[in-house]
Amino acid sequence: MKKKITIIGSTGSIGTQALEVIEKISDEFEIIGLAAGSNVDLLNKQIEKFHPKTVCLGKKAEIADKSVKVLYGDEGLEELCSNKENDIILVAVSGKIGLRPTISAIKNGINIALANKETLVMAGDIVTKLAKENNVKIFPVDSEHSAIHQCIKDISQVSKLIITASGGPFLHKTVEDMKNATVEQTLKHPRWNMGRKITVDSATLMNKGLEVIEAHHLFGFDYDNIEVVVHPQSIVYSAVEYADGSVIAQLGLPSMHIPIQYAITYPNRIEGIKSKSFSFAEIAHLDFEKPDFEKFPTVKLAYQAGKEGGSATICLNAANEEAVFAFLDNKIKLFDIYAITKKMYNAHNIVKNPSIDEIFAIDEEIRIKTRELINN
Ligand code: MN3
């Protein structure tokens, strides 16, 4: 029997790559739902190819195939993700819009392939508790967390998680270069082709900070036992250290196809989209270095927020995102992103154990205040 899957965020970077994966292993999967924000043309093409029964769109628009049930907006997304027919839902939307549908899926006992950062950064405690209560598995799609997931056999014997970071376009540039960086230079990521917001986060290393917070929630590790190491080649996706000192790493040529596929086919490995075979000899050498916290202070701030817990990570995420948008609009400089995030963070009164409604309210409040700070 084919596994039934729904993809939310099907027209985005991860969503389109997931469909490439599923097209290749179509004997294993049936797509029963797709959701997209506003790219109706691409969604229509995806419907033609994959024949989902239900789709969801951000707002009203014409869907060519009249046999498809069409839902809209946040409510539609929640309905799509509550459908118990699903064996797994791939959450590939970016932003807080991914949070409520993920919770709906978990409450309905549906396993999650998670590519949405905000779910764990904003509501990690609630989401992991709900998953446990409903016996739901959360399979990470992000390459670093996928690697850790692949390296762990018995989690009780693992002593440390080691997350690799490519270091982004400014790794070997000076602080001065970073201060004067243009949007164009910042968006030139050396290894990965991703959306604009995450590419800026990769340049400041905030992306790595957020991944540390996600790893804490996904694997239940203390922040002191999660380490970030810079690895410019992005061949070692990430690693774990066992109690006896043995380190197991997962390696591959940089491609999102492997982590996406593993999240939906776990525990099976099937051929799928195989790029060329891995060659240690061709790669020849792998470099590693400590992250420079002076150049990339965001990582330290993320650790601090993670350790403080409660609403601290909501504040970090919201202030950073608003600052990144302002940078992309040429309103502020690259280094201002950290300065603004830090200022907002220091002014924030942490709320312990916020509810989902409180999480959204805090997120909104921080965003408004951050925009005010930027505009003054
Ligand atoms: Mn990543």
Side-chain angles (χ1 to χ4, degrees):
M1 256 234 318
K2 287 186 180 186
K3 267 204 215 174
K4 293 187 169 67
I5 185 168
T6 286
I7 300 177
I8 66 168
S10 68
T11 57
S13 166
I14 295 291
T16 50
Q17 293 182 80
L19 287 172
E20 287 166 17
V21 167
I22 289 172
E23 193 180 355
K24 199 79 187 178
I25 54 173
S26 56
D27 293 350
E28 315 266 337
F29 286 93
E30 178 188 348
I31 292 179
I32 62 167
L34 292 174
S38 56
N39 194 342
V40 185
D41 290 345
L42 183 53
L43 183 65
N44 271 320
K45 284 183 191 138
Q46 293 176 343
I47 292 169
E48 212 178 299
K49 203 173 208 172
F50 296 99
H51 311 290
K53 292 180 196 159
T54 315
V55 298
C56 180
L57 270 165
K59 18 180 212 287
K60 291 237 184 253
E62 196 73 7
I63 291 297
D65 185 340
K66 298 300 171 201
S67 67
V68 177
K69 183 177 174 187
V70 188
L71 304 169
Y72 297 101
D74 292 353
E75 270 172 42
L77 213 48
E78 282 193 60
E79 185 181 331
L80 193 70
C81 292
S82 305
N83 180 2
K84 289 187 188 196
E85 245 191 286
N86 281 293
D87 293 298
I88 191 162
I89 290 180
L90 170 59
V91 181
V93 286
S94 59
K96 62 185 162 183
I97 193 173
L99 184 49
R100 287 194 206 266
T102 304
I103 289 175
S104 299
I106 293 172
K107 284 183 175 167
N108 283 285
I110 305 161
N111 287 340
I112 304 288
L114 187 64
N116 173 272
K117 280 185 196 291
E118 287 75 9
T119 300
L120 293 174
V121 171
M122 292 173 67
D125 292 332
I126 293 177
V127 168
T128 50
K129 187 166 169 266
L130 272 177
K132 214 174 258 168
E133 285 167 5
N134 290 281
N135 204 15
V136 160
K137 292 201 175 72
I138 299 175
F139 300 111
V141 170
D142 202 359
S143 60
E144 295 80 0
H145 306 102
S146 173
I148 292 168
H149 177 223
Q150 293 181 56
C151 295
I152 292 176
K153 220 171 162 190
D154 177 353
I155 199 160
S156 70
Q157 296 178 355
V158 175
S159 54
K160 192 167 78 179
L161 310 181
I162 303 159
I163 298 180
T164 56
S166 72
F170 302 113
L171 177 61
H172 294 128
K173 298 269 162 60
T174 64
V175 172
E176 262 333 283
D177 289 335
M178 261 183 101
K179 281 185 177 157
N180 298 317
T182 62
V183 170
E184 203 193 357
Q185 288 165 335
T186 307
L187 291 178
K188 263 198 195 115
H189 196 275
R191 298 284 158 196
W192 301 97
N193 190 4
M194 307 171 288
R196 283 157 62 90
K197 192 260 171 182
I198 186 172
T199 305
V200 176
D201 281 347
S202 297
T204 63
L205 247 65
M206 177 57 94
N207 181 49
K208 223 32 70 174
L210 297 176
E211 288 178 357
V212 166
I213 296 166
E214 290 180 273
H216 161 81
H217 290 294
L218 273 170
F219 304 108
F221 266 66
D222 283 344
Y223 285 95
D224 291 334
N225 297 323
I226 305 173
E227 186 183 299
V228 172
V229 65
V230 173
H231 168 46
Q233 291 95 349
S234 299
I235 296 292
V236 176
Y237 281 42
S238 276
V240 303
E241 186 180 308
Y242 280 84
D244 60 1
S246 183
V247 173
I248 297 188
Q250 187 253 329
L251 287 71
L253 299 169
S255 156
M256 281 308 291
H257 287 135
I258 298 168
I260 292 169
Q261 182 175 302
Y262 193 67
I264 60 173
T265 63
Y266 173 88
N268 300 321
R269 293 188 183 272
I270 46 183
E271 191 171 314
I273 301 173
K274 217 174 146 214
S275 41
K276 59 175 193 168
S277 199
F278 188 88
S279 163
F280 275 101
E282 252 174 59
I283 288 158
H285 66 267
L286 301 171
D287 299 314
F288 300 93
E289 58 189 89
K290 268 195 174 164
D292 178 345
F293 291 124
E294 236 174 87
K295 228 158 81 181
F296 305 110
T298 50
V299 186
K300 265 194 169 165
L301 189 61
Y303 270 95
Q304 188 190 338
K307 284 179 183 176
E308 289 184 321
S311 63
T313 55
I314 304 167
C315 171
L316 176 87
N317 178 65
N320 172 69
E321 185 162 313
E322 288 302 322
V324 169
F325 291 154
F327 170 70
L328 287 169
D329 278 349
N330 288 303
K331 283 185 185 163
I332 60 169
K333 295 244 186 196
L334 184 64
F335 250 61
D336 295 333
I337 297 172
Y338 170 73
I340 287 163
T341 307
K342 173 92 175 151
K343 206 165 182 182
M344 291 303 302
Y345 188 83
N346 288 346
H348 179 61
N349 289 319
I350 295 171
V351 178
K352 294 277 166 209
N353 303 313
S355 66
I356 290 294
D357 286 340
E358 284 171 324
I359 287 171
F360 279 97
I362 294 164
D363 175 82
E364 196 51 44
E365 185 197 323
I366 298 288
R367 284 173 194 276
I368 290 166
K369 284 184 180 164
T370 309
R371 287 195 292 261
E372 276 171 13
L373 181 67
I374 291 165
N375 291 328
N376 292 326

